[in-house]
Amino acid sequence: AGLEYPGASDPSCLVSTGTMEQQQPLTGGEGAPPPASFATMKGKITWAAFVAGGIVVVGGLLSILSLLTSFDLLHMIQVIYLTLFGALIAAFDAPFHQTQALLQVIRVKMALYVRFCTRVFGRGAAILFLGCTLVAVLWGYNISPFLSIILGLPVVIIGVGLIVVSVTKSVKLNKLKPQLVDSGTLSADQFIQKCESLSLDRDEAQLLCTAVSGDGLGKGVTSQDLEAWRNNPMMMLI
């Protein structure tokens, strides 16, 4: 059985995830959504995480090439992990993900198995960890102390920045919990419109929808999602 949101009626856009069906545009072409705009807060977050993931991939590949000469198995495993996780972050936040079938599948799988990374706070924490690891690898393995700063420092800064944005926005958004938890099942657009009626801007409403939604991708919000939010005494981090 799939999750049904009001307005999610186009059967050509459904992806099976094993436990649910989610509305997903799988191919590009005419009418495909444009890439994320850097002019919006959500667009800035998307581009920042995408760039950070890309930098980690570049640093990881350079480290793999450097370690091929010595082939220290333990170090090689760490660097491969670093590269793959950076690639996942970059894939999840690729600004053009709405037009690429493979990226859509990756996003759905990450929402199922790595839900933590679908939120701004989770991606910020993951990027901060990857940035610190990249510095440690490039410097500690004596690959290139210079590159450890050039590549690692921007990733660390982006990770810290995303965490700060998440916490500051979460404080504001959680104050609206009493006014939203009785809304019932809503599509993403309906939930965002309700948030906008409570003086949130669209970017904040989209981030809140993603955090509250059970699919982890902000396709809609069910009454069960809102009930879980109501019963959670801790501040929900977007």
Side-chain angles (χ1 to χ4, degrees):
L3 291 179
E4 293 291 338
Y5 304 118
S9 58
D10 183 0
S12 66
C13 295
L14 292 177
V15 174
S16 174
T17 63
T19 58
M20 66 181 75
E21 289 181 333
Q22 296 169 320
Q23 189 178 8
Q24 298 285 342
L26 283 184
T27 58
E30 187 176 357
S37 171
F38 195 74
T40 65
M41 181 181 66
K42 185 178 180 182
K44 289 182 175 68
I45 291 171
T46 294
W47 276 101
F50 175 67
V51 169
I55 292 174
V56 171
V57 170
V58 171
L61 292 176
L62 291 175
S63 301
I64 290 174
L65 291 175
S66 177
L67 290 173
L68 285 177
T69 55
S70 60
F71 197 77
D72 185 310
L73 181 59
L74 182 61
H75 291 170
M76 185 64 76
I77 291 173
Q78 182 182 11
V79 171
I80 291 174
Y81 161 82
L82 177 71
T83 306
L84 290 178
F85 212 98
L88 284 177
I89 294 292
F92 185 86
D93 277 297
F96 43 84
H97 68 81
Q98 292 173 307
T99 62
Q100 302 297 320
L102 177 59
L103 296 181
Q104 287 286 346
V105 172
I106 290 173
R107 286 174 61 84
V108 170
K109 296 303 182 183
M110 287 185 67
L112 283 174
Y113 302 115
V114 201
R115 177 69 63 86
F116 179 69
C117 287
T118 65
R119 300 191 182 190
V120 178
F121 183 88
R123 295 206 295 289
I127 288 170
L128 176 59
F129 172 75
L130 292 176
C132 293
T133 304
L134 182 60
V135 172
V137 166
L138 291 173
W139 193 307
Y141 298 168
N142 202 29
I143 295 171
S144 175
F146 174 73
L147 284 180
S148 73
I149 302 300
I150 297 300
L151 296 179
L153 187 59
V155 177
V156 170
I157 291 173
I158 289 173
V160 171
L162 292 181
I163 291 173
V164 171
V165 168
S166 172
V167 172
T168 54
K169 290 295 181 182
S170 296
V171 171
K172 175 182 178 180
L173 298 178
N174 276 269
K175 292 179 181 178
L176 297 178
K177 182 195 288 191
Q179 298 164 271
L180 290 171
V181 291
D182 294 319
S183 301
T185 298
L186 300 172
S187 69
D189 285 340
Q190 291 170 334
F191 184 80
I192 289 169
Q193 288 170 6
K194 184 171 182 65
C195 291
E196 289 177 323
S197 72
L198 298 174
S199 300
L200 288 183
D201 63 43
R202 189 167 186 82
D203 278 340
E204 293 172 332
Q206 289 175 330
L207 291 173
L208 181 59
C209 183
T210 300
V212 174
S213 66
D215 63 12
L217 295 171
K219 298 299 179 183
V221 174
T222 67
S223 56
Q224 291 87 350
D225 297 334
L226 294 171
E227 185 65 23
W229 186 22
R230 182 211 301 272
N231 295 331
N232 186 356
M234 299 181 64
M235 181 179 73
M236 182 181 63
L237 294 169
I238 63 170

